[in-house]
Every structure is written in C-alpha cells, then in structure tokens.
Amino acid sequence: MRTALPSSLKTLLSALSLSSLGKRLTSLGPRLNAANPNPVSTQSAGAQQYVAGGCETLLRGLFDGAVDADAVAAACSSDVEWDDLTASKPLVGREAVRDLINAKFPYSSLLAVERISDGKRSGGFTWHREVRAATPDGQKSKMGLRGTLFAEMDADGKIAYVREASEPIFKAGAATEALLKAVTKDAKREPKPAPTFTPRTPTTASGVAQYLWEDAYPGGADPTEALRLFSENIVYEDFNYATPFVGKAEVAEFVQAFDIPGIEFVPLKISEGERACVFTWKVKVNGQDGPSGISFYEIDDDGKVCFIRDIPAPSPQGFRPLGSLAAVTDPELRLLSAEKLLRSVLGVASLGMGLLRPIFAAEAAWQAEVLGDEQTRIAAIKQLDAESTSAPLVVYTYILSPFSTEAIAFLDETGCHYKKYELGLEWFLLGKAGPARP
C-alpha cells in the first residue's frame, strides 16, 4: 500500500537531495546537481587524478568523506552498470549513476571507508554512513547504515561495473537458517563423491576466495576446509544477524549450520587484492536462482582470513520497506530510531507495530477473557493443532507486516510448498477464538 507524502515532507526531501559541494571538482563551484541540465563531464581532473593509483586509490578518493555525484559519474564509463541490491534492477549510464548518488547522499551526509581492497583493476570496500559534524570543532558522528561496494574498471581506467549492498534494518538472525531448512526440507543429501579438488593454502585474499568458491567447494570440500584458512580471532559479520561471530569456534558453528542440502553459493565476480578482496555471488535454492549478495575478505599478516562481511540482497530484490522508511526519516544515517520516526510525518504509522505491541497483547488477553471461556480456549488450541499439522511447512502471516510479505515472497521465489494462514487485520476481527490462540 502506498501512502502519499504530504507536501511539507516532499519539500523537505527535495531540499535534502541537494548534491554536496564539489569536494574535489572545485572548479565546478557549488550548485544543485539535481537541477543541472548539462551532461556529465568525462574530463574531470578530480576523477582522473585517481586512475594512476588503481582501483583502491580511485575508490577511496571518490567515496571516503563527502560523496560528489558529478565526480563519481565522471569516473564511470558511459555504459556503466550499477547494481544496487536495494533497488529492483541495475542502473545503466552516467546520468543514472549521478541521479542515484544525489539521492543517496544529501549535503549533510558522509561515507566512511572502513576496510578497502588493494586491487588495481577491481576491488571494493566496506563502509558506513555518517553525518557532517554539527559543530566546528569536529563533533564525532554516530555510525549509520553499513554496507559493502564492489567495483570493476575497464581498460581506460573507468568504473564499468558496481555492485553495492547495505545491511537490512530488520535482521532475521537464526530465523534465516530455519527458513532455508524449511524451504529445502524435501531435498535429499546425496552421498558425497570423492573430492576432486587439490588442497592448497593460498595466502592472499583473492587467492583464498578463488580457491574456496571456484575450486574447493565445487570439488566437494566440506565447510571445514575454509576454517583452516581462518585466523583464530576472525570476526565474521553476516548481516542477517545483529552481532558478528567472533573467534574460530563461533564461526565454525555458524558455517556448519548453513551446510544445508539444496543450498548452493555460486561466485560471480571476485576482485583482485592481496590484503583484501570483494566478491559477488548468488544463491541457488533447490536448483533455482535465489538471493544475490556481496562479501568482503581481509587477511592478516600470517595470510589467514581475519575479517569477513556478508550481505544478502532483499528477497525479492528491491523490497525493503524498512530501509526505504529509514531513508525518508533519517536521510544522513539511514537508520530507524524512535527519535527520528517521531519527528517524521510518517513516524506514527511506522512505529505502529512496535509501540502498539504491548497494547495488542493486553487487548488480546482482555478479549480472550471477556469474549471467550475455557471452551473457547480449548477450541483455539485444537484449531492450532490442526492447522500446524496440515502441511510440512505452515506459515502464519499478518497482512500489514513487511516481514510476512518478504518471507512469503522468498518462499514463492524458491518454489517451496507451504500452507498459509492469514491472521485478522486487527484483534477485534478475530472473534472469540482468535485472541485465545497462544
């Protein structure tokens, strides 16, 4: 359901979409890029100065700090493909890239490069959003939304391909594993044939990624093959989870939990990089294309993987209601917070589920007590028992919940067979038995 934005909010969002002052292209002077009728210049000295240093220098120069839409667009090839996994499909061309960057980075926002690969023609980095210092003495910004970007350059040193992804606002955690296991419940784990890969111990980031995903795993390696290449103090960020896995023991448990029949990770592009690399991938679920994603690997001085960040695309790609809401209510950091929501015209509606949860719980208990009786409670339990055993996978959904919509879309996308029960729009529509159901 789409909600029309009030004119006052449209004006606010329009004002926030002004491009940043030319940090590097000072000769262009401050202006509103969104209203600029001129085509993107491909002769920007601000962009060309980074080409000689390779992909690492180019990316750090363009993205670490204030992000200038003109500079980014000028550094791209004319037919650049920009695959933002929060959008429904990739963008093509410099003008589209400039519009995207303008929309993502109002003047008051900054991007902080955290870790960066050292590739020459391809690479990437992990990042988080910040807001410009509120005081002249350089007040420290709160950390905002986090993500990862992969980039590939052409023979002329122009950015030809980008994939970027950001963390989901809602992190499903262990429910992700449970959902994948439910989807692949009927998949049989066939006896593994004898491994066909030759064990190696690469000591560069790209070497490790290529070995694991192009050689070892396709050649029949167990998940434990990766563990011997990990450092004892590895930090593994999977953005399906709110907190990282720290140490080889935690990572081993996580990796083995996702060794699920019917789930296959397919690498697409692996960047260069000895110290660190970025690679893109997709998941196949029961042989069908599932979510896409992006990963970052970094190694330590001993050649062991010490840091990993994985980010999956929303399913279906581009469906991110909470992310879109965060972009409206907090365009700099793009995080959801009660303070920002309450300041926004959309705040009351979006806070509904969180703020009203205690009220719903109390109302449900009251309705069950007033409208129902012991017989009603027994009937509700019987109904639940019958429903929960009516199919191998049973899903209870709520039509106003974006998480229910996303889960159902994922199940449909993977061809999973399930039975769905819609809960009432509100408790008063459920009658006597509804509130009594535990």
Side-chain angles (χ1 to χ4, degrees), residues 24-78:
R24 303 168 188 86
L25 306 179
T26 53
S27 61
L28 296 177
R31 59 181 175 159
L32 299 182
N33 286 328
N36 174 30
N38 300 321
V40 175
S41 169
T42 62
Q43 301 299 319
S44 166
Q48 289 183 349
Q49 65 177 308
Y50 304 114
V51 174
C55 195
E56 177 182 5
T57 305
L58 176 63
L59 295 178
R60 190 182 292 280
L62 290 173
F63 293 101
D64 195 16
V67 182
D68 189 291
D70 281 331
V72 174
C76 293
S77 65
S78 60

Side-chain angles (χ1 to χ4, degrees), residues 29-317:
R31 59 181 175 159
L32 299 182
N33 286 328
N36 174 30
N38 300 321
V40 175
S41 169
T42 62
Q43 301 299 319
S44 166
Q48 289 183 349
Q49 65 177 308
Y50 304 114
V51 174
C55 195
E56 177 182 5
T57 305
L58 176 63
L59 295 178
R60 190 182 292 280
L62 290 173
F63 293 101
D64 195 16
V67 182
D68 189 291
D70 281 331
V72 174
C76 293
S77 65
S78 60
D79 59 348
V80 60
E81 180 181 340
W82 195 290
D83 187 12
D84 182 344
L85 294 184
T86 64
S88 59
K89 61 182 180 180
L91 300 174
V92 177
R94 294 192 187 105
E95 294 293 343
V97 168
R98 184 174 65 179
D99 292 344
L100 174 69
I101 299 300
N102 268 326
K104 279 179 173 285
F105 298 101
Y107 173 77
S108 51
S109 68
L110 300 172
L111 198 67
V113 172
E114 302 168 334
R115 303 167 187 261
I116 191 166
S117 70
D118 51 334
K120 293 295 184 182
R121 289 294 180 182
S122 59
F125 58 91
T126 65
W127 53 263
H128 68 263
R129 297 178 69 99
E130 293 182 354
V131 64
R132 287 181 186 267
T135 59
D137 59 358
Q139 176 181 323
K140 182 66 176 177
S141 168
K142 177 184 176 182
M143 180 184 292
L145 191 73
R146 299 169 294 171
T148 302
L149 182 144
F150 169 94
E152 191 173 59
M153 299 168 67
D154 62 17
D156 296 323
K158 296 287 189 180
I159 297 175
Y161 175 80
V162 167
R163 171 177 283 185
E164 63 169 323
S166 56
E167 63 182 311
I169 301 297
F170 173 75
K171 296 174 173 60
T176 304
E177 175 191 344
L179 180 60
L180 288 174
K181 287 183 176 178
V183 169
T184 60
K185 184 176 181 180
D186 296 331
K188 294 182 179 179
R189 185 183 291 274
E190 301 293 341
K192 278 191 174 182
T196 58
F197 73 100
T198 301
R200 293 186 287 113
T201 307
T203 56
T204 66
S206 60
V208 170
Q210 290 167 353
Y211 166 68
L212 289 176
W213 297 103
E214 295 181 344
D215 187 8
Y217 290 147
D222 291 324
T224 53
E225 178 64 17
L227 297 176
R228 70 180 185 85
L229 304 178
F230 292 173
S231 73
E232 292 296 329
N233 300 315
I234 184 174
V235 175
Y236 196 132
E237 295 180 343
D238 183 303
F239 279 164
N240 282 314
Y241 295 80
T243 57
F245 301 93
V246 180
K248 188 180 284 189
E250 283 191 12
V251 172
E253 184 177 352
F254 165 69
V255 169
Q256 291 170 347
F258 276 84
D259 182 23
I260 303 171
I263 302 295
E264 179 187 3
F265 287 82
V266 180
L268 301 176
K269 293 176 178 283
I270 299 177
S271 82
E272 301 170 352
E274 295 188 0
R275 181 186 67 248
C277 76
V278 186
F279 62 97
T280 65
W281 44 265
K282 66 179 179 181
V283 177
K284 285 194 171 185
V285 183
N286 295 330
Q288 300 182 44
D289 285 349
S292 299
I294 187 170
S295 294
F296 183 97
Y297 278 16
E298 185 176 67
I299 63 170
D300 59 19
D301 293 338
D302 296 323
K304 298 290 187 180
V305 179
C306 61
F307 176 82
I308 294 176
R309 175 179 288 182
D310 290 343
I311 309 180
S315 181
Q317 185 168 326

Side-chain angles (χ1 to χ4, degrees), residues 399-417:
I399 195 170
L400 299 181
S401 167
F403 313 124
S404 294
T405 305
E406 185 169 353
I408 293 301
F410 177 78
L411 293 173
D412 290 339
E413 184 178 325
T414 56
C416 177
H417 298 290

